Amino acid sequence: MTTTITDAVAPGIRDDDGMPTYVAFLRAINLGATRKFAKDDIRRVVEEAGFTDVETHINTGNVRFATPMRSRAKIEKALEDVFAADRGFDVPTIVFTVAEVRAIADDAATLSEEHPGLARHYVYLLKETPSRDAVARIEQSATDAGQMVVRGRAAHALLGPGYQAGYVDPLNAAKLLGVATNRNSTVIRAIAEKWC
C-alpha cells in the first residue's frame, strides 16, 4: 500500500513529490584509518534505510535525501543507528531542512562580504541551538586570529590574517558548541547551490 502525504509541508522544508527533503552533515568521518565512511557507502546505507532521492557531495559526509519523517530528532536518530550498525562506530549526524541550509549559505556569503580579507571562513553546524548565554560565550572567544558569529544552529569562524593554517580550533570555541561538525564556507555554498 502506498501512503501519500496530503498535509501541507512544514515551513522551510522543500517538497519533492510530497516528500520533505533534508541535508545531513556527518561528524568525524574519514579521519585516520579507523573512521572511514566513503560517500558511496553513505549513499548505500541511507538508501537501504528507506530514504529516497539520496545524493552525496564530496567525501566529507554531506548527504541529501527525502523522507516522509518530519521530526529532525527522529531522522538524526534513524541515520545514526544505521550508520553505527554499518560502520561499527558512532557517527554523529546533524540534519537541516534545505531552507535552513540555504539560509546558512546566505549568512556565510553576507559575513564573508562584511569581513573582506579573511584567511578562512569555517561554518560549524550545530545539533542544538545554543542558549543566549552560550552564544555570548562563543562570540566572546575572539582573538587576533578572528572571531565567531552565531546564527541559529550555525556558528561562523571568521579567521583573519592572524590565523595559522593547520589549527583546528584557533579560537578555542569548539568546546562551547555542543555536538557540531564544520565545513569550509565554500562547501556550504556549493551544497546550497546544488541542493537548495
Side-chain angles (χ1 to χ4, degrees):
M1 178 177 169
T2 303
T3 303
T4 304
I5 297 172
T6 57
D7 296 341
V9 175
I13 300 176
R14 193 174 83 191
D15 184 15
D16 290 342
D17 299 324
M19 196 84 74
T21 305
Y22 300 89
V23 179
F25 298 92
L26 284 59
R27 180 177 181 267
I29 63 164
N30 299 325
L31 304 171
T34 60
R35 297 189 58 85
K36 297 293 185 193
F37 202 177
K39 64 181 186 173
D40 290 340
D41 289 328
I42 293 169
R43 186 170 51 248
R44 172 187 54 79
V45 172
V46 173
E47 287 174 345
E48 287 174 356
F51 297 93
T52 59
D53 195 26
V54 180
E55 192 174 325
T56 54
H57 178 75
I58 65 176
N59 212 29
T60 56
N62 315 295
V63 59
R64 185 208 59 200
F65 55 89
T67 176
M69 297 170 69
R70 303 290 172 126
S71 165
R72 177 175 58 85
K74 289 180 180 177
I75 295 167
E76 287 173 343
K77 173 83 164 71
L79 290 171
E80 288 171 347
D81 287 349
V82 295
F83 292 156
D86 187 79
R87 293 288 105 176
F89 55 80
D90 289 337
V91 181
T93 302
I94 300 159
V95 171
F96 293 88
T97 66
V98 290
E100 289 171 326
V101 173
R102 168 49 61 199
I104 292 167
D106 290 346
D107 283 342
T110 299
L111 288 166
S112 289
E113 288 172 11
E114 291 173 352
H115 298 85
L118 291 176
R120 293 279 191 280
H121 179 172
Y122 292 111
V123 181
Y124 288 85
L125 304 157
L126 316 179
K127 202 168 196 50
E128 302 299 334
T129 304
S131 68
R132 244 185 307 197
D133 289 342
V135 169
R137 288 194 308 274
I138 293 163
E139 292 188 342
Q140 289 168 359
S141 65
T143 70
D144 290 343
Q147 69 184 76
M148 296 290 288
V149 176
V150 179
R151 298 283 187 270
R153 286 197 301 131
H156 298 261
L158 307 174
L159 304 172
Y163 167 72
Q164 294 181 11
Y167 284 87
V168 176
D169 184 22
L171 304 176
N172 295 314
K175 63 183 177 291
L176 304 172
L177 302 176
V179 177
T181 187
N182 71 34
R183 302 291 186 272
N184 186 297
S185 65
T186 304
V187 170
I188 295 294
R189 285 187 266 177
I191 287 171
E193 188 65 32
K194 182 177 182 180
W195 290 338
C196 306

